[in-house]
Structures are given as C-alpha cells and as structure tokens.
Amino acid sequence: MLVDDLRGMLYIGLKDLRAYYFKPPNISWGVLFPFAFVLAFAIRNPGDLRALTPGLLALTLLFGTSSMEAIVIVFERRTGSLERLLLAPVRLPALLAGKMLGGMTFGMTVTLAVLIIVVIVFGASGLNWLLLALALLLSAAAFSALGAFVSVAVKEVFEAQTLANFIRFPMMFLGGVFVPVASLPSGLQVVARALPLTYAVEALRLAMTGGSLDDAVLDLLALAAFAVVLFLLAVRVLARRLE
C-alpha cells in the first residue's frame, strides 16, 4: 500500500506539472508579480535592495506554489477528473500529497530561477546554503498545503481564486516582506505571527545573512507545523466533500 501511495504521489505530481503548471501565464504570474511588487517598493523607498531579497524569494515561492494549487482540485472536481483519480490504488492523503508535490515543484523551480538572479547580482558571500535549502523546502510545503486547503474549501474556481487572494495579499504586507514585523503595531504583530509567510521571510533572511540553524529553528518548526496542520485539514475537508 505504501509503495502504491508513493507511486501515485509521483505520477499525480508529474501529471499536474505537465497539465497545469509549466505554462507561460503561470510562470509569469509566479515570477513577474512578486518582482513587480518588490520593484515598486524599492522605487518608492530606495535603499539596501539586498534586504528585500528574502521577501522577494518568499513571495515568489508563495505565488508559485499556491496560484494553481488553489484551483487545481476544485477544477478537477468540477470536471470529474478527481473522481477518476480516486479509482486508482492510492489513498486520499497520498492523492492530496501528490497535488501538493506538483505545486511545491513548480514553486521551487521559479524561486530557484529568481535565486540565481539574486546570487548573480549580489553575490553568494555570507549565504547559509543548508538553512536556505531547508527554509525554501519547508516554506514550499506550507504554501502548497495552504493552496490545497483553499482548493478543497470551496466549490467554484472563482471562489478559490478569491479566497486565495484574500489570504495572500494581507500576508504580503504583514509578513515582513516590506516592513519588519517588529515595527508593526502590537495587534498586527500578533496577526503576523499567525501567518506562514512571516516565518518564511525570517528564515530566508537569516539564511541570506549567514545565520545558523539554531537561530532559525523556531521559524523552521513553525513552517513545518503549518504544512502538517493545513495538509491534515485539507484531507479532512476533502474527505467530507467526497462523501
């Protein structure tokens, strides 16, 4: 059964990558949209552009993983494709994990492209590569789980897009991308601490400034917890909708 689940996860992820993710509109949305926001902020408040790179990477990962992830499942439920997948010898958690795998792979791919540009422009001195890899991987898992939860929580594609943007856009401005969380009013700091993007930005900032794993352990644990909790919630909600 475990072997069937792992094989199913792999093929579901590959199918989604071919069918949905690696298309020009998705690539442009995943890369250009975060670039546009960061560039607009940099023009408005010129300063240390390197300080914005952790937020740029986190935003690229957020939109890369969750943009299609938030609508794939609801789209396949509408077309009947999801029911055909359920006929395969794969359990529901593995099916949903395969969906997440597609989103994570696409998000990591576009984020790595941005990271290469960042390294070319600013250099790689001071980077903690192990922490950077862990931060990117756990952030991708958390954001993909968020997208999966959004996708199973609604019935229509436009509802998924609306709900995803309702969650992502406040995160952009409260998660420490443009303004440090510590400078926010105390009430908003509490809200920021309930958002996965906050921990992604903090972990990536530590990785890009030579911080150690010990410095980022709480951020990494928080991202892992978000990924697990959102995944379990998505499995539970999808199971109820398929009853």
Side-chain angles (χ1 to χ4, degrees), residues 110-121:
V110 295
T111 304
L112 287 176
V114 175
L115 178 60
I116 290 172
I117 297 173
V118 168
V119 170
I120 291 174
V121 174

Side-chain angles (χ1 to χ4, degrees), residues 97-142:
K99 295 292 185 184
M100 285 179 53
L101 182 62
M104 289 176 63
T105 302
F106 179 75
M108 290 287 288
T109 301
V110 295
T111 304
L112 287 176
V114 175
L115 178 60
I116 290 172
I117 297 173
V118 168
V119 170
I120 291 174
V121 174
F122 297 108
S125 61
L127 283 178
N128 184 330
W129 289 102
L130 176 59
L131 176 55
L132 181 63
L134 288 173
L136 289 174
L137 183 62
L138 291 175
S139 298

Side-chain angles (χ1 to χ4, degrees), residues 51-98:
L52 294 175
T53 56
L56 172 62
L57 293 174
L59 281 185
T60 304
L61 200 54
L62 172 63
F63 282 90
T65 55
S66 64
S67 292
M68 283 302 299
E69 183 75 28
I71 65 174
V72 165
I73 296 174
V74 67
F75 174 76
E76 291 193 345
R77 283 173 52 206
R78 296 290 296 173
T79 61
S81 300
L82 189 66
E83 283 70 16
R84 290 194 291 273
L85 285 177
L86 291 170
L87 297 176
V90 57
R91 290 175 291 183
L92 187 61
L95 185 153
L96 195 58

Side-chain angles (χ1 to χ4, degrees), residues 113-210:
V114 175
L115 178 60
I116 290 172
I117 297 173
V118 168
V119 170
I120 291 174
V121 174
F122 297 108
S125 61
L127 283 178
N128 184 330
W129 289 102
L130 176 59
L131 176 55
L132 181 63
L134 288 173
L136 289 174
L137 183 62
L138 291 175
S139 298
F143 297 152
S144 186
L146 174 63
F149 176 71
V150 168
S151 192
V152 302
V154 298
K155 296 181 179 180
E156 302 290 345
V157 171
F158 75 88
E159 293 175 337
Q161 293 171 329
T162 301
L163 180 57
N165 288 331
F166 179 78
I167 296 172
R168 289 183 305 205
F169 278 93
M171 279 204 294
M172 288 176 55
F173 298 101
L174 297 177
V177 175
F178 304 115
V179 179
V181 173
S183 67
L184 296 173
S186 57
L188 292 181
Q189 289 187 38
V190 173
V191 176
R193 288 298 164 191
L195 304 174
L197 184 63
T198 301
Y199 301 97
V201 172
E202 289 183 350
L204 290 170
R205 181 169 289 120
L206 285 169
M208 301 193 76
T209 55

